[in-house]
Amino acid sequence: MDINFNKNEDHNKLLVSELNRKLAKVSLGGGKSRIEKLHSKGKLTARERIDYLLDTGKNAIEIGAFAGDDMYKEHGGCPSGGVVIKMGYISGKQCIVVANDATVKAGAWFPITGKKNLRAQEIAIENKLPIIYLVDSAGVYLPMQDEIFPDKEHFGRIFRNNAIMSSMGITQIAAVMGSCVAGGAYLPIMSDEALIVDKTGSIFLAGSYLVKAAIGEQIDNESLGGATTHCEVSGVTDYKAKDDKAALDTIKNIVDKIGDFNTAGYNRKTPKMPVKNPEDIYGILPKSRVDQYDMHAIIERLVDDSKFEAYKDGYGQTIITGYARIDGWAVGIVANQRKLVKTTGAKTKPAEMQFGGVIYNDSADKATRFIANCNQKKIPLVFLQDVTGFMVGSKSEHSGIIKDGAKMVNAVSNSVVPKFTVIIGNSYGAGNYAMCGKAYDPRFIVAWPSAELAVMSGNSAAKVLLQIEKASLEKQGEVFTAEKEEALYSEIKARYDKQISPYYAAARLWTDGIINPLDTRTWISMGIEAANHAPIEKPFNLGVLQV
């Protein structure tokens, strides 16, 4: 192995170490002292509840672990968005579990909390998966109520989705394991079945203080909306549990009785590990986002038996397309080729070099055809992004790059098979869109720690912004020296580089998570298994497509 491999390996392993450190920090929620306070009340933390509920020894993935990262500092922060979401197995059945983290502002809902809850429901709806709510929340975070209460994708959308899922036959089970106040009280009761933990769980539209202020009635919270009240008097809840574990055991028993589902019929054979060592990925992936490498080498370390059947291998070479298996599941892979490639073009044209990571006319055309083929064959799609955008310049414009790019976007948009996106490196501009960015409904979209998401690279953006800011300041009479220009450039680039970080994207749920490259197979496999719960309901149709 050469020196560059070793340098790359050291760099990427450090990125993974940093990822693990950050995950360990957010897993503490509001901190150790608040966890101890929760334990003193006989309650488990959100993550402890989920770990107890999910089957031991089976894979589970956490969605949105970095939601809210480095946000809401003036309000004390909101680790993981104040809610923990995992996909795993309960009594052998794949489920989504949503648990309020009471160590973070008593489980109050920040704007990102609402967005994260809606993401969990979206996953349940599109995959027809059972969803379990472990409720322990003080309700809307009042200092930010205007950003979480009234709009279409705000708090109220949760209850609308409860109703929609019920009509679709998607199982919803809620356990009230702490406070459940005001509008939040509707969530468990709009679920199919509701449990409540004795002495620690409570449900009411208004607590005892507000009741006294509003109508003058003197009553304590337990009598107003505790477990005995709602299981024996109002009939609002269906089961009373003595403690957290008893409630979770009841959920396990309920899920165990759920009937089987109709499958979408995605092809799966006995899984095989890659023949080529997946850990080589650390050394293959360059430290610099501008350096080139062969994406085939990455693919061979992600797919079963390291076998990849290339489609149109010698045409449109800046995008790789082909068939493989991941954990036994048949997949169609669309990946950006990051090495400089030589193409002969038409017979009348001389050979030319194409830049890696750039989408050219022919590569966009190839991807469009391949996506259509996968839809016809009912094969899930996996997009591996390391893209700087579409090729620019007169030659590309005159060749109709906009039309070819539009065809690719059309195919991605209208695809009916499940799509999964992994951002390996660059994810810039329209390249993000064409390669199935968040706006194009991938079932899961994840980033490796090496990812960058932005309209353009930090260097390019800083140069553009520098010229704009420099011109503005010069109009005001300011004289620019080389030193001043360099300082301004560095300031702008530092600001922009923060925004292209994968953590910035994950904090805002532009991705479902940042993952160790070695976990990529697990995410895709569990994602396809989830998608297999939901048969395709409409045919693939490209609409009006300019061929």
Side-chain angles (χ1 to χ4, degrees), residues 8 36 115 149 207-208 240 244 310 364 374 407 457 468:
N8 293 337
E36 289 169 3
K115 187 173 183 179
F149 170 65
S208 56
K240 180 166 72 171
D244 280 8
C374 287
K407 286 192 290 185
S457 71
I468 294 170

Side-chain angles (χ1 to χ4, degrees), residues 308-524:
F308 179 71
E309 185 68 34
Y311 169 84
K312 286 186 178 290
D313 194 29
Y315 176 73
Q317 294 180 62
T318 62
I319 284 185
I320 298 169
T321 52
Y323 304 103
R325 291 188 181 275
I326 292 179
D327 199 36
W329 295 103
V331 296
I333 293 176
V334 181
N336 301 113
Q337 174 59 291
R338 279 308 312 267
K339 72 173 185 177
L340 200 66
V341 296
K342 189 175 183 179
T343 177
T344 56
K347 291 181 181 178
T348 56
K349 295 180 182 177
E352 62 179 25
M353 300 303 291
Q354 292 186 343
F355 296 103
V358 179
I359 303 175
Y360 288 78
N361 299 73
D362 52 1
S363 48
D365 175 68
K366 177 172 80 169
T368 301
R369 291 169 182 267
F370 181 72
I371 290 165
N373 283 344
C374 287
N375 273 271
Q376 186 181 53
K377 296 179 178 70
K378 207 157 71 170
I379 300 174
L381 285 159
V382 175
F383 293 82
L384 304 179
Q385 285 196 12
D386 195 343
V387 57
T388 52
F390 285 88
M391 190 59 187
V392 297
S394 60
K395 183 177 179 181
S396 291
E397 297 292 359
H398 296 169
S399 298
I401 187 67
I402 294 174
K403 183 192 290 186
D404 289 322
K407 286 192 290 185
M408 184 176 172
V409 169
N410 192 319
V412 172
S413 302
N414 286 297
S415 180
V416 295
V417 296
K419 300 168 294 198
F420 302 89
T421 302
V422 182
I423 305 174
I424 290 175
N426 303 325
S427 181
Y428 298 151
N432 169 281
Y433 301 156
M435 290 294 294
C436 197
K438 183 64 182 288
Y440 293 82
D441 298 323
R443 297 297 175 97
F444 284 134
I445 178 169
V446 294
W448 289 0
S450 48
E452 292 185 355
L453 290 81
V455 171
M456 61 182 74
S457 71
N459 281 328
S460 298
K463 287 175 183 176
V464 172
L465 292 169
L466 173 65
Q467 295 309 312
I468 294 170
E469 199 157 333
K470 181 181 174 184
S472 174
L473 292 170
E474 284 178 338
K475 279 184 181 179
Q476 298 171 30
E478 190 164 335
V479 178
F480 261 83
T481 62
E483 290 76 15
K484 269 190 179 181
E485 187 167 327
E486 178 61 31
L488 183 56
Y489 171 81
S490 298
E491 179 189 333
I492 293 170
K493 188 175 183 302
R495 189 168 67 234
Y496 196 86
D497 282 347
K498 181 181 179 181
Q499 294 180 1
I500 69 177
S501 159
Y503 294 97
Y504 190 91
R508 290 150 182 81
L509 290 174
W510 300 343
T511 64
D512 291 312
I514 304 170
I515 66 169
N516 185 328
L518 303 186
D519 293 332
T520 304
R521 284 170 52 86
T522 299
W523 274 79
I524 292 172

